[in-house]
Amino acid sequence: MQGEQLAVFRGQDGQAYVVDAYCPHLGASLAAGGRVVGNCIECPFHGWQFQGEDGKCTRIPYAEKVPDFASIRTWPSCEVNGMLLVWYHREGVGPTWAVPEQREVATQEWVFRGQTKHLVDAHIEEIPENAADAAHLDFLHGTAILGGSDLRYSKSRLWEFMKHRWKGEWCPEPEPNEHCSQLLLLHSTSIFGKHIPALDLKVSVRQVGPALVFLILEHAFLGRGIILQSVTPLEPLLQKVVHTIYYQKNMPAVIPKFLLRAECLQFERDITIWNNKQYLPKPLLVKEDSSIQRHRRWYGQFYSQKGTGLPAQEGLDW
Ligand code: FES
Ligand SMILES: [Fe+2]
């Protein structure tokens, strides 16, 4: 939803509302000095008030009558898993699926343990496509996290005694969840060639729609939790990525903090690749890369039908 300016507010009814930022009267931004009055937002310029629910203008302080057609655009939104999510469709079609609630987050069995934010200079599809790229797992993410995220040094001989192994296969979900896909990642670590079972981690990755990923972490004795990843396009080749971790309340906070740090360190290795790579509409793939092609077909559903052609040709239209 690059290029859209929105104002988000919580009404007195506790409900969060998302409306266009620019007031239809003379264009002031409701997001800069607007005030919540009941379940309305009041423009800071001349005091027009708009209802969060349907955008209708309910009051113009100096006018005798509020014209029927005076209203502001509202955006479908929902609050789930501690996030406020906005539905965007290029042709204005309303929501066709909902984001599931993670029970443990809703019941506060798992609690907030940290958040990271990254800006990535890449085509929107690069980040989700990573899930279907099995071959990069061992090559890019196999070197010990001790080696850090700077690719000039991460492959240093110094860290060769420690290796991460990843096993995982990506697949789309059947109807009615065709907007979702799954990846079960089994992570193991070896030190001097010896597998250390205490460092095994199971990560069930579920992509829900084009911009949201649930990563459920399970460790034999360090408990369970979730990393939520969101990708928001700010400009055609600029994505904002947020990772938020919720983890079992009864586990020391240092565990989820370490897991989030480790995740982000691996993610930053991908970022170095993304920030410098090119998006290839027709990549040169071998048989073992076939899930990348399947991922492209699957992700194609999120591009506008009325676009100028294939997603790859449309390229920068996001
Ligand atoms: S610009 Fe918003 S009330 Fe006039
Ligand atoms: Fe990756």
Side-chain angles (χ1 to χ4, degrees):
M1 45 195 311
Q2 76 200 29
E4 301 290 351
Q5 300 294 323
L6 307 176
V8 179
F9 67 100
R10 194 179 291 288
Q12 223 158 39
D13 58 358
Q15 183 77 29
Y17 296 110
V18 183
V19 298
D20 264 354
Y22 296 128
C23 178
H25 177 222
L26 272 167
S29 172
L30 302 171
R35 200 170 65 108
V36 177
V37 182
N39 299 325
C40 296
I41 184 151
E42 181 189 75
C43 179
F45 203 6
H46 312 90
W48 290 31
Q49 291 177 7
F50 301 93
Q51 242 164 224
E53 178 80 49
D54 55 6
K56 263 187 91 52
C57 177
T58 51
R59 186 175 131 86
I60 299 175
Y62 56 89
E64 219 171 83
K65 189 175 175 308
V66 178
D68 287 342
F69 53 83
S71 70
I72 196 162
R73 176 171 181 192
T74 57
W75 292 77
S77 66
C78 67
E79 272 186 280
V80 58
N81 303 327
M83 296 175 288
L84 175 67
L85 302 166
V86 182
W87 174 269
Y88 173 80
H89 190 287
R90 196 165 123 182
E91 276 114 46
V93 175
T96 52
W97 44 267
V99 172
E101 186 177 78
Q102 187 67 37
R103 183 186 54 81
E104 296 90 337
V105 174
T107 59
Q108 296 190 358
E109 201 177 307
W110 295 353
V111 292
F112 177 87
R113 290 294 192 215
Q115 188 172 66
T116 61
K117 291 183 184 157
H118 293 86
L119 290 177
V120 183
D121 275 304
H123 186 285
I124 180 124
E125 208 171 325
E126 300 281 12
I127 300 170
E129 190 171 289
N130 212 243
D133 181 353
H136 93 293
L137 288 174
D138 282 337
F139 199 77
L140 184 66
H141 300 300
T143 35
I145 53 168
L146 301 171
S149 57
D150 187 326
L151 302 184
R152 289 171 301 173
Y153 312 116
S154 59
K155 282 224 183 285
S156 153
R157 297 275 278 284
L158 206 57
W159 315 116
E160 262 184 4
F161 67 93
M162 181 173 169
K163 286 232 165 5
H164 305 284
R165 284 271 160 268
W166 304 87
K167 265 210 337 242
E169 206 184 316
W170 175 87
C171 60
E173 287 184 31
E175 273 183 59
N177 289 329
E178 62 275 28
H179 60 282
C180 299
S181 65
Q182 299 257 0
L183 168 70
L184 179 65
L185 266 182
L186 298 173
H187 164 262
S188 59
T189 306
S190 60
I191 294 180
F192 294 113
K194 203 174 151 4
H195 172 215
I196 312 289
L199 296 175
D200 284 359
L201 188 69
K202 188 169 126 189
V203 189
S204 313
V205 185
R206 186 176 194 218
Q207 171 109 29
V208 179
L212 197 62
V213 185
F214 292 51
L215 297 104
I216 298 196
L217 315 169
E218 281 173 72
H219 186 274
F221 49 87
L222 297 178
R224 298 169 68 227
I226 189 170
I227 294 178
L228 292 158
Q229 181 199 66
S230 69
V231 179
T232 311
L234 303 180
E235 292 171 17
L237 288 175
L238 183 63
Q239 322 299 332
K240 177 177 154 190
V241 184
V242 179
H243 288 104
T244 311
I245 193 164
Y246 289 84
Y247 212 80
Q248 255 179 250
K249 200 176 8 198
N250 55 358
M251 283 290 158
V254 59
I255 295 165
K257 295 216 182 289
F258 169 77
L259 290 171
L260 183 63
R261 186 67 210 109
E263 209 277 336
C264 284
L265 200 142
Q266 291 287 14
F267 186 71
E268 283 161 13
R269 290 181 181 173
D270 289 305
I271 290 184
T272 303
I273 301 290
W274 294 325
N275 277 351
N276 297 287
K277 85 184 285 301
Q278 205 180 21
Y279 177 79
L280 296 182
K282 289 198 178 73
L284 201 167
L285 302 175
V286 293
K287 189 173 98 238
E288 290 75 5
D289 292 321
S290 65
S291 54
I292 295 182
Q293 212 46 268
R294 287 196 295 132
H295 192 280
R296 291 205 175 186
R297 269 200 297 280
W298 174 78
Y299 198 88
Q301 67 179 301
F302 302 120
Y303 290 94
S304 164
Q305 294 298 314
K306 291 209 189 114
T308 49
L310 293 168
Q313 292 165 347
E314 211 176 1
L316 307 182
D317 249 16
W318 257 72

